[in-house]
Amino acid sequence: MKTDTAFYINSQAYSVRRLSLADSQAIQVLHDQCLDFMLLVDVHPAGPNAGAEEFEDLPPGKSQDDHFVFGIADQQDNLVGLLDAVRGYPDETTWWVGLLLLAPEVRSQGLGPIVLQGFNEFVRSTGGQAVMLGVVEQNRRAYKFWSRIGFDFVRETEPRQFGYKTQTVIIMRRLLPPT
């Protein structure tokens, strides 16, 4: 993983770094470890190029300069999580979280809220005023997690295709208090 720290999290056991295409293999391993999530969203395991594809999917009008893929590493520098975000989407003061993925062995231990607290502070430091994301309707556990850490329901989308599944997406937003 790259050595430049992207944002600080209050944890002695984990750190966050911005990833690059060179980290695709480590990202692929994480996707493969998170089979439960892949099956819930897509009904099939991650494809063989999922690690590299993490750097390709951008909303219309956004460039790679707006795309941030952050890796969450343990003390041995193993990738145990990923936060994919886009700056200035859907508006200039909002960041969009495309994915927060944690390896099964680190879930439900308080790491998610710690990462999001650090990310929210990072977003605020860039002038961001809100963070938005979408949760597939069937991922009730994720919806409860995002609600618990301050995200509010905005709307539901029309059903859309994810892999072999058609799902409704719940759009959520968290307004960030000014610094």
Side-chain angles (χ1 to χ4, degrees), residues 1-7 15-21 23 27 55 63-72 79 82-83 85 87 95 122:
M1 287 197 299
K2 292 172 81 172
T3 57
D4 58 322
T5 301
F7 59 87
S15 60
V16 176
R17 295 181 181 89
R18 190 160 179 194
L19 303 178
S20 73
L21 194 55
D23 298 300
I27 296 168
F55 296 92
S63 73
Q64 286 300 328
D65 291 339
D66 301 313
H67 191 202
F68 295 75
V69 180
F70 300 111
I72 303 146
L79 188 66
L82 175 84
L83 188 141
R87 170 182 50 207
W95 284 62
F122 171 75

Short mmCIF file of all heavy atoms in Angstrom, two decimals, residues 1-7 15-21 23 27 55 63-72 79 82-83 85 87 95 122:
data_model
loop_
_atom_site.label_atom_id
_atom_site.label_comp_id
_atom_site.label_asym_id
_atom_site.label_seq_id
_atom_site.Cartn_x
_atom_site.Cartn_y
_atom_site.Cartn_z
N MET A 1 0.84 -1.18 0.00
CA MET A 1 0.00 0.00 0.00
C MET A 1 0.87 1.24 0.00
O MET A 1 1.99 1.19 0.48
CB MET A 1 -0.92 0.01 1.22
CG MET A 1 -2.04 -0.98 1.11
SD MET A 1 -3.39 -0.69 2.25
CE MET A 1 -2.59 -0.85 3.81
N LYS A 2 0.31 2.32 -0.52
CA LYS A 2 1.05 3.57 -0.52
C LYS A 2 1.30 4.02 0.91
O LYS A 2 0.52 3.72 1.80
CB LYS A 2 0.26 4.65 -1.27
CG LYS A 2 0.15 4.37 -2.76
CD LYS A 2 -0.79 5.34 -3.41
CE LYS A 2 -0.07 6.63 -3.67
NZ LYS A 2 -0.83 7.57 -4.46
N THR A 3 2.35 4.77 1.13
CA THR A 3 2.70 5.14 2.50
C THR A 3 2.11 6.47 2.93
O THR A 3 2.16 6.80 4.10
CB THR A 3 4.22 5.20 2.66
OG1 THR A 3 4.75 6.12 1.72
CG2 THR A 3 4.83 3.83 2.46
N ASP A 4 1.53 7.26 2.02
CA ASP A 4 0.97 8.54 2.46
C ASP A 4 -0.39 8.32 3.11
O ASP A 4 -1.24 7.65 2.58
CB ASP A 4 0.87 9.53 1.29
CG ASP A 4 0.02 9.00 0.15
OD1 ASP A 4 0.11 7.80 -0.15
OD2 ASP A 4 -0.72 9.79 -0.45
N THR A 5 -0.55 8.87 4.31
CA THR A 5 -1.80 8.71 5.05
C THR A 5 -2.85 9.65 4.47
O THR A 5 -2.59 10.82 4.27
CB THR A 5 -1.57 9.01 6.54
OG1 THR A 5 -0.58 8.10 7.03
CG2 THR A 5 -2.84 8.84 7.33
N ALA A 6 -4.02 9.12 4.24
CA ALA A 6 -5.10 9.91 3.65
C ALA A 6 -5.84 10.72 4.70
O ALA A 6 -6.10 11.88 4.52
CB ALA A 6 -6.07 8.99 2.92
N PHE A 7 -6.18 10.09 5.79
CA PHE A 7 -6.81 10.78 6.90
C PHE A 7 -6.55 9.97 8.16
O PHE A 7 -6.26 8.79 8.10
CB PHE A 7 -8.31 11.06 6.68
CG PHE A 7 -9.17 9.85 6.46
CD1 PHE A 7 -9.72 9.15 7.52
CD2 PHE A 7 -9.49 9.44 5.18
CE1 PHE A 7 -10.53 8.05 7.31
CE2 PHE A 7 -10.31 8.35 4.96
CZ PHE A 7 -10.83 7.66 6.02
N SER A 15 -4.81 1.84 10.43
CA SER A 15 -4.48 3.11 9.79
C SER A 15 -5.19 3.17 8.45
O SER A 15 -5.65 2.16 7.93
CB SER A 15 -2.96 3.24 9.60
OG SER A 15 -2.49 2.19 8.77
N VAL A 16 -5.28 4.37 7.89
CA VAL A 16 -5.93 4.58 6.60
C VAL A 16 -4.93 5.22 5.65
O VAL A 16 -4.22 6.15 6.02
CB VAL A 16 -7.17 5.49 6.75
CG1 VAL A 16 -7.80 5.78 5.39
CG2 VAL A 16 -8.19 4.86 7.68
N ARG A 17 -4.91 4.70 4.43
CA ARG A 17 -4.04 5.23 3.38
C ARG A 17 -4.80 5.29 2.07
O ARG A 17 -5.68 4.46 1.83
CB ARG A 17 -2.81 4.34 3.20
CG ARG A 17 -1.90 4.31 4.39
CD ARG A 17 -0.70 3.42 4.12
NE ARG A 17 0.16 3.36 5.29
CZ ARG A 17 0.05 2.49 6.27
NH1 ARG A 17 -0.91 1.61 6.24
NH2 ARG A 17 0.88 2.51 7.29
N ARG A 18 -4.43 6.23 1.24
CA ARG A 18 -5.00 6.29 -0.09
C ARG A 18 -4.34 5.20 -0.95
O ARG A 18 -3.13 5.05 -0.94
CB ARG A 18 -4.79 7.66 -0.70
CG ARG A 18 -5.57 7.84 -1.97
CD ARG A 18 -5.76 9.26 -2.34
NE ARG A 18 -6.50 9.36 -3.58
CZ ARG A 18 -6.58 10.45 -4.28
NH1 ARG A 18 -5.97 11.55 -3.87
NH2 ARG A 18 -7.27 10.47 -5.40
N LEU A 19 -5.17 4.47 -1.67
CA LEU A 19 -4.69 3.37 -2.50
C LEU A 19 -4.57 3.81 -3.96
O LEU A 19 -5.16 4.81 -4.37
CB LEU A 19 -5.64 2.17 -2.40
CG LEU A 19 -5.88 1.61 -1.00
CD1 LEU A 19 -6.87 0.45 -1.06
CD2 LEU A 19 -4.58 1.17 -0.36
N SER A 20 -3.84 3.02 -4.73
CA SER A 20 -3.69 3.26 -6.17
C SER A 20 -3.93 1.95 -6.91
O SER A 20 -4.08 0.88 -6.29
CB SER A 20 -2.29 3.79 -6.47
OG SER A 20 -1.33 2.77 -6.33
N LEU A 21 -3.89 2.03 -8.21
CA LEU A 21 -4.07 0.85 -9.04
C LEU A 21 -3.06 -0.24 -8.69
O LEU A 21 -3.35 -1.44 -8.82
CB LEU A 21 -3.97 1.24 -10.51
CG LEU A 21 -4.45 0.23 -11.54
CD1 LEU A 21 -5.88 -0.21 -11.28
CD2 LEU A 21 -4.33 0.82 -12.94
N ASP A 23 -2.39 -1.30 -5.92
CA ASP A 23 -2.93 -2.06 -4.79
C ASP A 23 -4.07 -2.99 -5.21
O ASP A 23 -4.74 -3.57 -4.35
CB ASP A 23 -3.44 -1.09 -3.72
CG ASP A 23 -2.34 -0.22 -3.16
OD1 ASP A 23 -1.38 -0.79 -2.61
OD2 ASP A 23 -2.43 1.01 -3.29
N ILE A 27 -6.79 -5.36 -2.95
CA ILE A 27 -8.23 -5.06 -3.00
C ILE A 27 -9.00 -6.29 -3.47
O ILE A 27 -10.07 -6.61 -2.93
CB ILE A 27 -8.51 -3.85 -3.91
CG1 ILE A 27 -7.86 -2.59 -3.34
CG2 ILE A 27 -10.01 -3.64 -4.10
CD1 ILE A 27 -7.83 -1.40 -4.28
N PHE A 55 -11.17 1.28 -9.32
CA PHE A 55 -10.68 2.59 -9.74
C PHE A 55 -11.37 3.13 -10.98
O PHE A 55 -11.07 4.23 -11.43
CB PHE A 55 -9.16 2.53 -9.97
CG PHE A 55 -8.41 2.21 -8.72
CD1 PHE A 55 -8.10 0.90 -8.39
CD2 PHE A 55 -8.06 3.22 -7.83
CE1 PHE A 55 -7.43 0.60 -7.21
CE2 PHE A 55 -7.40 2.92 -6.65
CZ PHE A 55 -7.09 1.61 -6.34
N SER A 63 -13.88 12.92 -12.56
CA SER A 63 -12.62 12.38 -13.06
C SER A 63 -11.90 11.63 -11.95
O SER A 63 -12.31 11.67 -10.78
CB SER A 63 -11.74 13.52 -13.57
OG SER A 63 -11.23 14.26 -12.47
N GLN A 64 -10.79 11.01 -12.30
CA GLN A 64 -9.98 10.30 -11.30
C GLN A 64 -9.47 11.26 -10.22
O GLN A 64 -9.20 10.83 -9.10
CB GLN A 64 -8.83 9.56 -11.96
CG GLN A 64 -9.26 8.32 -12.72
CD GLN A 64 -9.95 7.29 -11.83
OE1 GLN A 64 -9.66 7.14 -10.65
NE2 GLN A 64 -10.90 6.57 -12.41
N ASP A 65 -9.35 12.55 -10.54
CA ASP A 65 -8.92 13.52 -9.52
C ASP A 65 -9.95 13.64 -8.39
O ASP A 65 -9.61 14.06 -7.28
CB ASP A 65 -8.70 14.89 -10.14
CG ASP A 65 -7.49 14.92 -11.05
OD1 ASP A 65 -6.60 14.05 -10.93
OD2 ASP A 65 -7.43 15.82 -11.91
N ASP A 66 -11.19 13.30 -8.68
CA ASP A 66 -12.27 13.38 -7.68
C ASP A 66 -12.48 12.06 -6.95
O ASP A 66 -13.29 11.99 -6.03
CB ASP A 66 -13.59 13.76 -8.37
CG ASP A 66 -13.52 15.08 -9.09
OD1 ASP A 66 -13.03 16.05 -8.49
OD2 ASP A 66 -13.95 15.14 -10.26
N HIS A 67 -11.78 11.02 -7.37
CA HIS A 67 -12.02 9.67 -6.86
C HIS A 67 -10.95 9.30 -5.83
O HIS A 67 -9.76 9.42 -6.10
CB HIS A 67 -11.97 8.69 -8.04
CG HIS A 67 -12.45 7.32 -7.71
ND1 HIS A 67 -12.10 6.23 -8.45
CD2 HIS A 67 -13.26 6.85 -6.73
CE1 HIS A 67 -12.67 5.15 -7.95
NE2 HIS A 67 -13.39 5.50 -6.90
N PHE A 68 -11.40 8.85 -4.67
CA PHE A 68 -10.50 8.49 -3.58
C PHE A 68 -10.82 7.06 -3.14
O PHE A 68 -11.95 6.78 -2.74
CB PHE A 68 -10.69 9.44 -2.39
CG PHE A 68 -10.28 10.85 -2.70
CD1 PHE A 68 -11.08 11.68 -3.48
CD2 PHE A 68 -9.08 11.36 -2.21
CE1 PHE A 68 -10.70 12.97 -3.77
CE2 PHE A 68 -8.69 12.66 -2.49
CZ PHE A 68 -9.50 13.47 -3.27
N VAL A 69 -9.84 6.20 -3.21
CA VAL A 69 -9.99 4.84 -2.70
C VAL A 69 -9.04 4.73 -1.52
O VAL A 69 -7.81 4.80 -1.68
CB VAL A 69 -9.66 3.78 -3.78
CG1 VAL A 69 -9.83 2.38 -3.21
CG2 VAL A 69 -10.54 3.98 -5.01
N PHE A 70 -9.61 4.61 -0.34
CA PHE A 70 -8.84 4.54 0.89
C PHE A 70 -8.78 3.10 1.38
O PHE A 70 -9.80 2.41 1.40
CB PHE A 70 -9.48 5.40 1.98
CG PHE A 70 -9.59 6.85 1.65
CD1 PHE A 70 -10.81 7.44 1.42
CD2 PHE A 70 -8.45 7.65 1.56
CE1 PHE A 70 -10.93 8.79 1.13
CE2 PHE A 70 -8.54 9.00 1.27
CZ PHE A 70 -9.78 9.58 1.04
N GLY A 71 -7.61 2.67 1.81
CA GLY A 71 -7.45 1.35 2.38
C GLY A 71 -7.31 1.44 3.88
O GLY A 71 -6.65 2.34 4.41
N ILE A 72 -7.94 0.52 4.58
CA ILE A 72 -7.84 0.42 6.03
C ILE A 72 -6.94 -0.78 6.30
O ILE A 72 -7.24 -1.90 5.87
CB ILE A 72 -9.23 0.24 6.67
CG1 ILE A 72 -10.14 1.40 6.26
CG2 ILE A 72 -9.11 0.13 8.18
CD1 ILE A 72 -11.58 1.03 6.09
N LEU A 79 -4.56 -5.28 4.24
CA LEU A 79 -5.79 -4.55 3.92
C LEU A 79 -6.98 -5.28 4.53
O LEU A 79 -7.25 -6.43 4.19
CB LEU A 79 -5.95 -4.45 2.40
CG LEU A 79 -7.07 -3.55 1.91
CD1 LEU A 79 -6.78 -2.10 2.25
CD2 LEU A 79 -7.23 -3.71 0.39
N LEU A 82 -11.94 -1.04 3.04
CA LEU A 82 -11.86 -0.16 1.89
C LEU A 82 -12.97 0.87 1.99
O LEU A 82 -14.10 0.52 2.34
CB LEU A 82 -12.03 -1.00 0.63
CG LEU A 82 -12.11 -0.27 -0.69
CD1 LEU A 82 -10.68 0.00 -1.17
CD2 LEU A 82 -12.82 -1.14 -1.71
N LEU A 83 -12.65 2.11 1.73
CA LEU A 83 -13.67 3.16 1.63
C LEU A 83 -13.44 3.85 0.30
O LEU A 83 -12.38 4.42 0.07
CB LEU A 83 -13.56 4.16 2.78
CG LEU A 83 -14.71 5.16 2.83
CD1 LEU A 83 -15.11 5.42 4.27
CD2 LEU A 83 -14.34 6.46 2.18
N ALA A 85 -14.72 6.75 -2.29
CA ALA A 85 -15.49 8.00 -2.21
C ALA A 85 -15.22 8.89 -3.42
O ALA A 85 -14.15 8.84 -4.02
CB ALA A 85 -15.13 8.75 -0.93
N ARG A 87 -15.44 12.98 -4.50
CA ARG A 87 -15.55 14.38 -4.05
C ARG A 87 -16.47 15.15 -5.00
O ARG A 87 -16.43 14.99 -6.20
CB ARG A 87 -14.16 15.01 -4.06
CG ARG A 87 -14.15 16.49 -3.84
CD ARG A 87 -12.77 17.10 -3.89
NE ARG A 87 -12.05 16.67 -5.10
CZ ARG A 87 -10.72 16.60 -5.18
NH1 ARG A 87 -9.96 16.90 -4.15
NH2 ARG A 87 -10.15 16.22 -6.31
N TRP A 95 -19.69 14.75 -0.58
CA TRP A 95 -18.88 13.60 -0.97
C TRP A 95 -19.79 12.38 -1.00
O TRP A 95 -20.65 12.22 -0.12
CB TRP A 95 -17.75 13.37 0.03
CG TRP A 95 -16.60 14.31 -0.09
CD1 TRP A 95 -16.62 15.67 0.08
CD2 TRP A 95 -15.25 13.97 -0.38
NE1 TRP A 95 -15.37 16.18 -0.09
CE2 TRP A 95 -14.50 15.16 -0.36
CE3 TRP A 95 -14.59 12.77 -0.63
CZ2 TRP A 95 -13.13 15.18 -0.60
CZ3 TRP A 95 -13.24 12.79 -0.87
CH2 TRP A 95 -12.52 13.99 -0.85
N PHE A 122 -12.04 14.57 7.54
CA PHE A 122 -11.31 14.82 6.30
C PHE A 122 -12.18 15.59 5.31
O PHE A 122 -11.75 16.59 4.72
CB PHE A 122 -10.86 13.48 5.70
CG PHE A 122 -10.27 13.58 4.34
CD1 PHE A 122 -8.99 14.07 4.14
CD2 PHE A 122 -11.00 13.15 3.23
CE1 PHE A 122 -8.44 14.15 2.86
CE2 PHE A 122 -10.46 13.22 1.96
CZ PHE A 122 -9.18 13.73 1.77
#
